[in-house]
Amino acid sequence: MMRLFRFPVLLLLVGGVLVVSTVAHFWITDRLGISRAFYSVEAVSTRWSINCSAGSPDWMHDAVRRAIGDNYSLSNQLAYIDWGGHLHHCESGWLRGMLTSPRLNHEHRFRYASTTKLFTADTILKLVDAGQLSLDDRLVDLLPEIGPVVDGRLASVTIEHLLMHRAGFDRIRSPDPMFLDGQRPWCPYNIGQLARMRLDFAPGERQVYSNLGYCLLGMVIERVTGESYRAWVSREYALDDADIRFVDGGFFDDEVSYDFRNSDVYGEWYSKYFDFNALSSAAGLSGSAEALARVVRGMVLRSSLNLTSYDVSPDCDETVLRSCYGYAFYKLRKPKRDFYIHVQPGFLYGMSAVALVDSKGGVLVWLGNGMPRAGDAVGDNMTVHLLDVLTDHYARQAGE
């Protein structure tokens, strides 16, 4: 009897050892795979943490659920200022580890990534409005130290070309000098390098998103104002009052922990490999979604030239993502609908963002601590979803 009793126990022990050793093996050899497989379990648990401010539209709660499910972001902030100026916000997840750290709140910090470009574009427009700059000004005239250029087309690059991603830089055909692993960008430190470049297409010929273009705009701002980019932007937008801060690589104490499980290359240490001072005007700021929404609303409420004043190229399709760039924003609408949004997405390893202004005057910012899986365009799932819900929201408001 004793032997019969021991046999099942032995089987259980052997089975347990096999399970533990198998999990340990895959954790060592494919930790990301295990972590990705476990995400769906974490997502279900995190949905219960969603918290929205009183009176927030129901679609905001659903949008955060969508961010958790489709955008692989457990910790999220969503801030929305409606056309009447009323602020609503929702959050999900935790500041650090799930259930082992404080719940995320509306004041915690995320990196703004490329939504920083809105500050650069708005600053340029302010200088144009003040008569200190013109959209037709040539880059080589504003930065004469560029010197004689190898590619004569560079001489025709204007401020408007840079703002609208039409300056001739194509980061698919030529490496993006702002994000070369472990290499110091030549912009803004060695502008003479630009003189030796050959453009990928003629200025104004088409649109291709460019971080380099916004680094160059940061240099223009410094030349026109006589101040460093960081100093001018900090004062003009009262960044201290909004608790918006420039990133210098390392993470702040009040900053969310980012999720790198969908990154095959970079982890938390990525911040040591990029020059965030050089990225100041393209992807350098951090803060909360609420703080960014408030600042962007102030930008678009200016009665004079502002971020939404642009005319899109006649050959672009406003129903296609990233087809119709304006001043940092691109314009997007659903087919056969008058309602549209101006969008600026953002991405850094382990996080995603979307900042938008709708055609009724509403401002919305989403910040998430995850990133899509390989093959998914950054922020596209969330952008399309937000366009859908906002279109329906305003249709209901209008009684359509």
Side-chain angles (χ1 to χ4, degrees), residues 36-250:
R36 289 166 183 165
F38 192 61
Y39 182 84
S40 58
V41 176
E42 294 177 89
V44 171
S45 302
T46 303
R47 290 190 187 108
W48 295 101
S49 72
I50 299 174
N51 181 59
C52 295
S53 58
S56 296
D58 291 341
W59 58 261
M60 291 186 65
H61 186 282
D62 294 338
V64 175
R65 284 179 60 91
R66 180 65 66 96
I68 294 170
D70 291 352
N71 290 278
Y72 304 96
S73 289
L74 297 174
S75 296
N76 299 275
Q77 288 179 341
L78 186 67
Y80 170 59
I81 304 177
D82 64 26
W83 59 272
H86 305 105
L87 172 70
H88 310 283
H89 59 86
C90 296
E91 297 79 41
S92 73
W94 291 264
L95 184 62
R96 300 277 186 266
M98 178 183 289
L99 302 175
T100 62
S101 67
R103 287 270 292 272
L104 194 78
N105 66 43
H106 65 105
E107 295 179 334
H108 282 138
R109 183 179 308 279
F110 286 74
R111 300 190 171 199
Y112 286 166
S114 284
T115 60
T116 299
K117 290 180 173 69
L118 299 176
F119 291 80
T120 302
D122 188 65
T123 294
I124 290 291
L125 296 178
K126 279 185 174 182
L127 295 174
V128 170
D129 233 12
Q132 296 176 263
L133 194 62
S134 167
L135 292 175
D136 295 326
D137 283 346
R138 299 190 311 162
L139 181 66
V140 293
D141 295 332
L142 292 162
L143 303 176
E145 65 270 33
I146 291 173
V149 295
V150 170
D151 187 338
R153 297 174 298 177
L154 268 165
S156 64
V157 172
T158 66
I159 295 301
E160 188 166 55
H161 286 145
L162 294 168
L163 275 176
M164 302 183 74
H165 301 287
R166 300 180 72 88
F169 309 123
D170 188 336
R171 59 183 180 169
I172 304 300
R173 298 177 61 181
S174 302
D176 183 347
M178 306 308 299
F179 283 99
L180 292 177
D181 189 356
Q183 297 184 36
R184 194 184 198 207
W186 56 260
C187 180
Y189 307 117
N190 181 21
I191 193 62
Q193 180 71 25
L194 184 62
R196 298 189 284 274
M197 283 186 62
R198 291 193 177 277
L199 294 179
D200 298 303
F201 57 90
E205 181 181 280
R206 53 195 176 91
Q207 297 181 317
V208 181
Y209 190 83
S210 173
N211 290 304
L212 173 59
Y214 271 72
C215 177
L216 295 170
L217 287 174
M219 294 187 67
V220 168
I221 289 168
E222 293 187 337
R223 185 58 48 85
V224 173
T225 64
E227 295 186 61
S228 73
Y229 176 87
R230 289 189 171 193
W232 201 95
V233 168
S234 294
R235 187 186 66 256
E236 286 294 311
Y237 297 98
L239 298 191
D240 286 343
D241 293 341
D243 197 21
I244 295 174
R245 300 171 68 180
F246 281 98
V247 175
D248 284 313

Side-chain angles (χ1 to χ4, degrees), residues 59 80-88 297 301 339 358-364 390 393-394 397-398:
W59 58 261
Y80 170 59
I81 304 177
D82 64 26
W83 59 272
H86 305 105
L87 172 70
H88 310 283
R297 187 167 190 266
L301 281 179
F339 179 85
D358 65 50
S359 55
K360 303 296 184 181
V363 177
L364 188 148
L390 286 171
H393 174 67
Y394 282 110
Q397 294 275 59

Side-chain angles (χ1 to χ4, degrees), residues 377-399:
V378 176
D380 283 357
N381 289 336
M382 198 62 169
T383 297
V384 171
H385 177 69
L386 292 173
L387 174 61
D388 289 342
V389 296
L390 286 171
T391 300
D392 293 342
H393 174 67
Y394 282 110
R396 288 193 298 273
Q397 294 275 59

Side-chain angles (χ1 to χ4, degrees), residues 281-303:
S281 57
L285 286 168
S286 70
S288 68
E290 179 180 322
L292 181 54
R294 291 184 185 278
V295 174
V296 171
R297 187 167 190 266
M299 293 176 178
V300 299
L301 281 179
R302 284 194 292 123
S303 58

